[in-house]
Amino acid sequence: MTSAGGESTDTIEGFWAVVPAGGAGTRLWPLSRAAAPKFLRDLTGSGRSLLQETHDRLAPLVDDRFLVVTGAAHREAVVEQLAGVAPECVLAEPSPRDSMAAIGLAAAILELTDPEAVMGSFAADHVITDRAAFGAAVVTAVAAARDGWLVTLGIDPTFPSSAFGYIRLGDPLAGHDGVFGVEAFVEKPSPEVAEGYLASGSYRWNAGMFVVRPTVLLDLLAAEHPEFAVRLREIAADRSRLAELWPDLPKIALDHAVAEPAAAAGRVVTVPASFGWDDIGDFDSLATLLPATPGRPTVLGNEALVHAIDATGLVVPRSGRTIAVVGLEDVVVVDTPDALLVTTRAHAQAVKQVVAGLQDGGRRDLT
């Protein structure tokens, strides 16, 4: 079949896409809000939301085999945006419990409904520009996962980022070309340490993309958190108990619950790949991702509303007002009907502090 990007891609038999769609994207405030988070937004100018773009690149690999896990408040919007996904395949979390609960629930459901399946977990709010390279990496990962490995996609780092976690590569995996052991998952390093990682050639960015058989994932979870795995399997066996059992599930990321201890036990491998990945963590990374005109700010939205003189950076006009930017370098201006953000690309990570301050001040209507 042919993907939306035009390349020919074969559907992978027995492969399911699990898409956790959560997070408020606080560093992208006021564009991203709790009620309308970044995965529901078009942040690339494509006319498709990040969630829809995620579906578009996975559909050639899985056909209609999707499970999307999102918050109860967003389920209706997710169903509306994903016309090609059956509504019953959009699962609603009663409350946020982090990625292990969301992905683990999908794994427990698949373990019952398709025991021989392989699942791949791919966040709803990432950008990938080379779909052919992404598809090839997934094919390689699925083959290793069928042999019982927990597989992660390791992104070839393009600069010494201190904003991402890293994967330390081990030896090649026998019988699987392009697959390597994982010696360890490493937390976000300092810029100096990140430069050493890049220079060594032995580290890859951890994008949180995991490919695994559902039973393997749940058994790895059971080895560290046995009660957690039991509860997920109980919910899958009787979904009427979701509201009863969900609040008591641990709030922990899959990386900490399973991937890190499994790597220490020699159970994790990685497929190093380069396919134009970005998680759009803040307005600086968004500005880098979008097409730029030298000497002018990048505009996400109606360019006729922006008048710039001797200015560069990123402008997002979303209120309908005219925005004039004069004599400012690497500025970020995000104008929405009820909030205006003015900062610089260098301070983009600090935007989350504004959100925290608004919440502490009782202004959750703005966050």
Side-chain angles (χ1 to χ4, degrees), residues 10 107 127 131 141 150 157 176 221-222 229 243 245 285 292 296-297 299:
D10 292 331
V127 169
R131 293 187 184 179
L150 174 59
H176 291 278
L221 177 63
L245 298 176
S285 63
R296 288 187 52 79
V299 178

Side-chain angles (χ1 to χ4, degrees), residues 2-289:
T2 302
S3 76
E7 65 275 3
S8 179
T9 309
D10 292 331
T11 300
I12 304 171
E13 184 178 356
F15 181 53
W16 284 76
V18 171
V19 180
T26 54
R27 292 183 182 89
L28 290 170
W29 181 90
L31 197 58
S32 179
R33 314 282 184 103
K38 67 175 182 175
F39 65 83
L40 293 173
R41 301 283 195 177
D42 172 12
L43 296 185
T44 65
S46 69
R48 303 279 284 171
S49 72
L50 296 182
L51 172 66
Q52 289 171 321
E53 289 188 336
T54 299
H55 172 271
D56 293 347
R57 67 173 166 267
L58 288 168
L61 304 175
V62 302
D63 196 15
D64 61 352
R65 294 185 295 274
F66 279 88
L67 282 180
V68 182
V69 188
T70 193
H74 303 131
R75 184 180 182 276
E76 184 177 346
V78 169
V79 169
E80 183 177 345
Q81 286 200 4
L82 298 182
V85 175
E88 60 268 24
C89 291
V90 179
L91 312 176
E93 302 174 299
S95 60
R97 306 309 299 163
D98 218 322
S99 61
M100 187 66 252
I103 298 168
L105 175 60
I109 290 171
L110 286 177
E111 183 182 50
L112 286 177
T113 58
D114 192 354
E116 299 303 313
V118 172
M119 58 178 271
S121 173
F122 306 98
D125 55 4
H126 292 179
V127 169
I128 290 172
T129 56
D130 189 340
R131 293 187 184 179
F134 170 74
V138 171
V139 168
T140 300
V142 170
R146 293 196 197 279
D147 283 348
W149 295 96
L150 174 59
V151 190
T152 183
L153 302 187
I155 310 299
D156 293 338
T158 54
F159 64 96
S161 174
S162 60
F164 303 139
Y166 285 74
I167 299 164
R168 186 165 74 238
L169 299 186
D171 295 329
L173 180 65
H176 291 278
D177 290 342
V179 184
F180 294 79
V182 170
E183 292 186 349
F185 288 86
V186 183
E187 295 296 327
K188 298 174 182 178
S190 67
E192 295 76 20
V193 171
E195 288 180 3
Y197 288 172
L198 191 66
S200 76
S202 298
Y203 291 81
R204 298 295 183 270
W205 285 337
N206 175 20
M209 300 180 189
F210 293 97
V211 179
V212 63
R213 293 179 60 187
T215 298
V216 170
L217 180 65
L218 292 171
D219 286 350
L220 288 172
L221 177 63
E224 302 293 327
H225 305 275
E227 196 67 19
F228 197 169
V230 167
R231 291 290 174 265
L232 289 171
R233 282 169 162 147
E234 286 178 343
I235 294 171
D238 183 0
R239 292 197 220 178
S240 69
R241 301 187 66 193
L242 175 65
E244 169 200 347
L245 298 176
W246 187 264
D248 293 329
L249 296 179
K251 193 171 186 178
I252 186 172
L254 188 152
D255 291 64
H256 301 315
V258 168
E260 292 171 2
R267 297 289 306 277
V268 186
V269 296
T270 187
V271 178
S274 178
F275 39 69
W277 170 84
D278 200 301
D279 74 343
I280 316 186
D282 56 34
F283 286 113
D284 180 49
S285 63
L286 179 58
T288 302
L289 181 70

